[in-house]
């Protein structure tokens, strides 16, 4: 009796991937419901669980993913990678939203940077990371993200507001420096 064919093996892997993709998507939807109800701890757990699943399904640095983390994820069918990446990015952006709400801007920067490595035009990640740089008074990095976002979405109200705040803060710093050094060079 012959063993399973390559087609059977590919079909089984696709079915397992679809099942795990559904689990991750269900975690995201549950997280969204908790987020809407302002139950951020529960939302974070859901987003994190979904993130673990999608991360395990994605190829890492040319490898076949983080096999062994979840049963059946030894190799994700390549045609499913874009859908998995989109869900993965949404989960990372949602995790970063919760961190932003808690004022954990270093974590926001970490998660949004992960998204932007793979999707440098992701508007949510650019906006949230830019605002976190603002909160940490890293104006150069803030401005870089906000200007990139405005190049993609010139009418983005949040980005336009942050851009005007940057200009105001730069003027304040310049005036402060001028005042500080006023008598030193006369």
């Amino acid at each position: 009796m012959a063993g399973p064919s390559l087609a059977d093996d590919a079909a089984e892997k696709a079915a397992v991937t679809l099942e795990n993709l559904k689990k991750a998507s269900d975690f995201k939807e549950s997280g969204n419901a908790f987020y809407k109800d302002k139950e951020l701890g529960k939302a974070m757990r859901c987003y994190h669980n979904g993130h673990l699943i999608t991360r395990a399904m994605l190829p890492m640095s040319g490898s076949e993913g983080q096999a062994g983390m979840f049963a059946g994820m030894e190799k994700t069918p390549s045609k499913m990678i874009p859908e998995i990446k989109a869900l993965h990015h949404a989960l990372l952006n949602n995790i970063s939203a919760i961190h932003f709400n808690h004022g954990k801007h270093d974590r926001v920067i970490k998660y949004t940077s992960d998204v932007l490595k793979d999707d440098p035009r992701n508007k949510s990640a650019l906006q949230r990371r830019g605002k976190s740089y603002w909160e940490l008074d890293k104006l150069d990095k803030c401005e870089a993200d906000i200007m990139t976002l405005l190049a993609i979405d010139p009418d983005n109200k949040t980005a336009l507001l942050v851009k005007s705040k940057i200009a105001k803060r730069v003027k304040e710093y310049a005036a402060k420096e001028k005042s500080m050094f006023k008598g030193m060079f006369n």
Side-chain angles (χ1 to χ4, degrees), residues 1-17 72 74-75 77:
M1 183 166 203
S5 71
L6 290 176
D8 291 340
D9 189 42
E12 183 180 332
K13 285 181 180 176
V16 169
T17 301
E74 292 80 26
K75 182 170 167 70

Side-chain angles (χ1 to χ4, degrees), residues 96-107:
S96 71
I98 293 173
H99 285 310
F100 190 89
N101 286 332
H102 288 135
K104 296 178 180 179
H105 298 291
D106 287 334
R107 289 185 183 177

Side-chain angles (χ1 to χ4, degrees), residues 11 14 20 41 55 59 65 97 100 124-125 127 132 135 154-155 180-181:
N20 286 317
R55 184 179 70 182
F100 190 89
S124 295
Q127 180 172 306
S132 286
E135 293 297 328
D155 299 322
M180 201 164 73
F181 294 112

Side-chain angles (χ1 to χ4, degrees), residues 2 16 20 42 55 63 69 73 108 113 117 120 127 141 147 155 159:
V16 169
N20 286 317
K42 291 178 181 177
R55 184 179 70 182
S63 71
M69 231 177 138
M73 292 189 188
V108 173
S113 293
K117 268 188 260 175
Q127 180 172 306
K141 290 181 176 186
M147 296 311 290
D155 299 322

Side-chain angles (χ1 to χ4, degrees), residues 7-182:
D8 291 340
D9 189 42
E12 183 180 332
K13 285 181 180 176
V16 169
T17 301
L18 280 174
E19 181 182 324
N20 286 317
L21 187 60
K22 176 157 179 16
K23 286 178 189 176
S25 183
D26 289 347
F27 276 124
K28 179 183 171 278
E29 294 309 315
S30 295
N32 290 348
F34 286 127
Y35 189 90
K36 184 179 176 187
D37 291 340
K38 302 199 182 329
E39 295 185 58
L40 300 183
K42 291 178 181 177
M44 178 64 89
R45 279 190 293 282
C46 290
Y47 295 147
H48 182 71
N49 287 335
H51 162 255
L52 290 176
I53 293 170
T54 57
R55 184 179 70 182
M57 290 191 292
L58 290 171
M60 304 289 283
S61 303
S63 71
E64 298 300 329
Q66 297 179 1
M69 231 177 138
F70 294 96
M73 292 189 188
E74 292 80 26
K75 182 170 167 70
T76 301
S78 60
K79 68 181 179 186
M80 300 177 89
I81 297 291
E83 185 178 359
I84 296 165
K85 279 186 179 181
L87 179 56
H88 185 69
H89 294 162
L91 289 159
L92 290 174
N93 277 325
N94 291 352
I95 289 168
S96 71
I98 293 173
H99 285 310
F100 190 89
N101 286 332
H102 288 135
K104 296 178 180 179
H105 298 291
D106 287 334
R107 289 185 183 177
V108 173
I109 291 166
K110 175 197 176 303
Y111 284 102
T112 54
S113 293
D114 285 349
V115 172
L116 292 166
K117 268 188 260 175
D118 195 46
D119 182 7
R121 296 176 55 86
N122 188 294
K123 293 190 287 186
S124 295
L126 283 165
Q127 180 172 306
R128 201 164 286 122
R129 187 173 76 173
K131 287 170 57 180
S132 286
Y133 281 137
W134 169 263
E135 293 297 328
L136 295 173
D137 204 30
K138 295 182 178 184
L139 296 186
D140 290 344
K141 290 181 176 186
C142 172
E143 184 176 37
D145 280 352
I146 294 303
M147 296 311 290
T148 300
L149 177 55
L150 286 170
I152 297 164
D153 183 4
D155 299 322
N156 185 296
K157 289 181 169 104
T158 300
L160 291 168
L161 176 65
V162 173
K163 180 183 175 189
S164 70
K165 286 181 177 183
I166 292 168
K168 182 179 177 187
R169 178 125 356 131
V170 167
K171 282 182 185 178
E172 289 170 359
Y173 284 162
K176 191 175 183 179
E177 281 184 355
K178 185 178 179 182
S179 170
M180 201 164 73
F181 294 112
K182 189 176 184 180

